[in-house]
Structure formats: C-alpha cells, structure tokens
Amino acid sequence: MTINSVIFEVKQNIKKRSFETRSRYLYTIENQAKKGKIRGKLACGNLAHTVAASTNEEKHSILDFTKVNLAIVTSYNDMVSAHTPYLEYPNIIKKSLSLLGNTAQVAGGVPAMCDGITQGNDGMELSLFSRDLIAQSTAISLSHNTFDGTLLLGVCDKIAPGQLIGALAFGHLPCAFVPTGPMPTGVSNSEKVSTRQKFVAGELDKTALQDMECKAYHSSGTCTFYGTANTNQLVMEAMGLMLPGSAFVPPESPLRDKLTEKISTHIATSSTIQYGKKALAKVVDEKSVVNGLVALLASGGSTNHTIHLVATARAAGWIVTWDDINTLSQVVPLLVNMYPNGNADINAFHQAGGVPCLMNILNQRDLIFMDANPVYGSMLDYLTSPYLDSDNQLCFSKSSLSKDEKIIASHSTSFSTQGGLKVLSGNLGRGIMKVSAVDFTDQIITAPATVFNSQHDVVKAYQQGLFKEDTVIVVRNNGPAANGMPELHKLMPIMGNLMKRGLKVALLTDGRLSGASGKVPAVIHITPEAKRGGLISKLVNGDLVEINGQTGLVNVLADINHRVPEPFDNEHELFGSGRELFNLYRQNISSAEEGASIFY
C-alpha cells in the first residue's frame, strides 16, 4: 500500500501526540472487555427486568448467554424527516436476527432536534449542546450492560457524532451506524437561494416563500443539500462505520431494507468474538480518523465537522487539531461538486457513483489508508456499491469511475487543488472558511468592520438600508460559552443580496454556519471567542479588517490590544426555551477548536 507522504505524516503526528490519551482510552476499554459477557453475570432479578416485556422466544434467547443480544439506540421521532423512517427499523432488525436465534432490544432513544426548525429561534442555542447530551444518552442506554453489540440509528447534525461519542465509551463492543437515506429531490438549490433572497429583498411575500420551502422539504429522509447531516453520512461511511455504499440509498426502498438486515446480522456475527477485531475501539483507529478527515475535505463537507470530528476522535483517545485539517487540505483536492459548492444535490451525487466512487478515486490517488479496519470486511469492500440481484439478494459490485464528472471528478481532474475547508489565523485568532463554496475573487477582502452581537440586529440594519459600503460584518458573542454557538443562517440571504448589489462583504463570527453557508465569504468559529477574551471582543465599527481565504489570514489592521472589551451582558437572554437548563454546558464547554465539548 502506498499513501501520500503528507497524509502519512499527519497520521503519525496524531498517533504521537495521542499516545497518552489513546493508551488511557484503551486501558479503560480493555478492562471492560475483560469482564466478558456481563449479561451472563447479572443477578436473576436484573435479568428478569431485562426480559420482562420480551416475548417468550426472545426471553429464551436473551437468557441463553451463547446467543447475541444487540442494543438499538434510536433517534426516531415523527417530526424530523431524516428520523421518521426509523419507526420500522427495530422490527426489521429483530426479524433478521431472530432467523439466527439472536435478539435486539431498543436500549434507548436520544433527542434529535433539527437545526432547520430552530434556526433563528431560541432553540438553536441548544443545538450544539445536544451533541454531548446525546452522547450521555447513548452511554446511559448501553449502561444496562446486557448487550453484545450496538446499532446506532442516527443521521443528522449533532445526533450521529453524539451517538458515536457515547458508543465509544463501550468500544469493546462491535458497533455500526444504520442510516436512512435522503428524501427525493424537490426544488432545486438555486431556486431555493433565489426565492429566499427575493423574500428578504421584499420582492416576494411569505406565501410564496412558504410554498417553495414546502416543495424543497417534502418527505421523509435527510435534506438533499450537502449540509451537516449528509456530511455525517459520507464521513461515517469513509471511516468504515456503516456498510459500503449505504449512506445515500433512499428510505423505505427494498435495497435500504436489505442493507439494514445485512448490517444487523453482520454485527451479530461480529459480537460472537469477545473484543474482536471489529470492536468499535479497534475500528476507530488513527487511519480511520484520517480517512474521515480526507473524505470531509475531498467532498467539501460541512464546517461543523471541524468541531465534531475533533470531538469524536478525542472520544477514542485521538487528539486531532485544526492544523491537521489545514495540512491535509493542502494535498487533498476537492473532488465533489455539490450544493453549496455547486448546484447538484445528494441524490445526484449518489447517482454519479456516491461514496464508493469517491473512495475509489481517493484510493487511486493514494489519499486514504486502505489498511484501515472498517466494521465490515476490508477497505476494498468500501470501493463497492450495493444492489439487489434478480432473486432480491443483496450483492456488491466494484465501483465504477464517475458517472457524471460535473459532480464527481474523474480519476485525473479536480474542482480545486485544495480541500473544501481552510484555517485562517491572525491577530483576531483562528477560524474556518469553507473556501469550496466561495468564488476565488471573493475570498479576499479588506474593509471596515460593522459590529453586532446578534444576527437579528444585522437583519434590522439591512431592513433600515444601513449597508451601503464594502464591509466585514462582525457577529460576536455567539461562541459556545456565550450562547451555545448557534448557526447564523438568517445572514446568508441578506449578505447574498449585498454581494448581488456589487458590494464586497464578508462575515467574521465566533458563531457557526454549518454546511449551507453558500457563496458568502465567512470566517466562522473564531477562537478565542469574544466571551473568553478573544480580540474580536475589542473590535468597533470602522476598524479595518483583512480576510484572505487564499493565504489564510484574518487580522485587524490596527493595534487594539490596549482597548477594553466592548461591554456585553446576555445573562437575561439565557432563559426560556430550556436554555436555563444548560448553564453548566456554557460554563464548562471547550473552544470550537477543541471540539466544543464538555468532556475534554
């Protein structure tokens, strides 16, 4: 096997700096593994509670310690489209396992909020916090210790990373994600953007906007743009945490059901070996982590994963830094062209060859570790795509090259020589820009700052016609410690309209934007955040700010260190919609660069 020298070096650096943390993690996991099948050591009363609601057949199997009992941790609810299909998954899983004499139980449910619903509202301030709450919920679900393996039913933004963090605490067990797939394509992404911009400009009424939005989001499955939810799925598949080619198969299709059955029986088979090769702790090795980072960059994935992948890697003992991501981005080209980087959606990507095609190209270019240890088979299997034969049996065929080179690059071309994300550094701190979505000429701007503490104040300023000159719009005090780091999507149609007028504008914030940031140049996740003394807290209107997404610079072009931070008090705003219950999170959360976690 050959591998790009820079990627190999990044892997080695992660391994070296993580020696102590990875050793501590493995020590904990190995001690759990030494206890063997804990279900067999439970007291009779414990076991009686375990099987109280089970059928007689299930009771017999669960009380037979030679059989396998899998934990299902589900994010099912019937409001969020991506999770609605999970209603029937437990029955599909249980039926497939019963044929082998094994069982599965829904060990617990985790909250699954939707950023698309909470954007611009109080609930968005709980969104990032929900990831670590989901991790705790997953750990609680598995803490009954009556299980031999884990199936994670989770797709969207914070849900999948949270479930993985929680499952890694039980890393002596084999574990896999069981995805749902995307909804069918509705309104095109270009029409969505155009309609939203026309609405904020007063050219369309709310009825027209509502009609468009309902046509865009219209059925079960993930949203079709390449945001955080679909980035989760692509990255988790690239890390070997689900079946090959399974991320974007449509919900409620015969192939989807077969894939769900297959991963269930596979994990059951893996569970017969105590702390075997396919235990989650062994699957999430340093090569798996780097493969996930490479896939993120090559696909132009969500900026949220500069937070989530840092946190999930740390849960397995691996210390990943933004510098690792930036270094990888210099040698990993952009190979996928999906909205917001291009016009295509996730269904078009899947039809063009999907994740197996992307992995095949990465392999040809020596950009992924083919000796990583996926949950299913070997990495060669992840270069194959699933299909049903004439007898309705699940089969896998070798992935072809791109079926649409406007969406997935050929084996010798790319959409950009560098990956989709770039770290910007300077006297204002460090932040992330999604360069894959921003035109080359728009990545550079030097302009006076216009400073706000809320995206809602930006909206008011726009409605009052106050933006008449080139400007860097600064939205501070929106970091993890300040208010949970909400996504600031109300800004995108506004800033898009300002750019349409010919103004040069950019966003500088310690808040988030996710995978749907679009064409607006935005330096997000600024660390240190204003709440914790970052220099962004001392900016005032008119300060000249330099942003260069090509060279990676973000500076204020004056010495403002002597200034006292601008006064800011949002304590009165941290009540209502449950925000008061998360004060401990705000007080203890780490920086965005450290994964915005309460655990590390």
Side-chain angles (χ1 to χ4, degrees), residues 37-43 47 51 59-69 146 148 271-272 274:
K37 187 171 284 196
I38 296 179
R39 187 169 82 254
K41 300 175 183 179
L42 295 179
L47 288 169
V51 300
K59 287 180 181 179
H60 179 78
S61 181
I62 294 171
L63 295 176
D64 180 349
F65 308 131
T66 67
K67 301 293 185 180
V68 168
N69 187 36
T146 58
D148 307 301
S271 298
T272 60
Q274 290 294 310

Side-chain angles (χ1 to χ4, degrees), residues 113 118 121-127 129 483 570-583 586:
M113 66 183 296
T118 58
N121 298 294
D122 295 347
M124 176 53 83
E125 296 182 16
L126 305 184
S127 175
F129 295 151
N483 63 351
N570 68 333
E571 288 301 315
H572 64 287
E573 297 176 353
L574 301 177
F575 292 84
S577 297
R579 288 175 292 177
E580 63 274 17
L581 302 179
F582 288 82
N583 188 44
R586 286 185 289 271

Side-chain angles (χ1 to χ4, degrees), residues 226 230-231 233-240 242-248 295 299 336 338 346 349-362 368 382-385 399-400 408:
Y226 191 44
N230 287 323
T231 304
Q233 302 311 297
L234 187 148
V235 168
M236 296 301 183
E237 185 174 326
M239 291 177 70
M242 62 175 69
L243 282 180
S246 65
F248 303 122
S299 63
V336 177
M338 277 190 289
I346 201 69
F349 167 72
H350 186 63
Q351 290 161 10
V355 184
C357 178
L358 174 61
M359 296 292 282
N360 195 7
I361 297 169
L362 290 171
I368 54 173
Y382 285 76
L383 311 183
T384 66
S385 298
S399 174
S400 62
I408 303 177

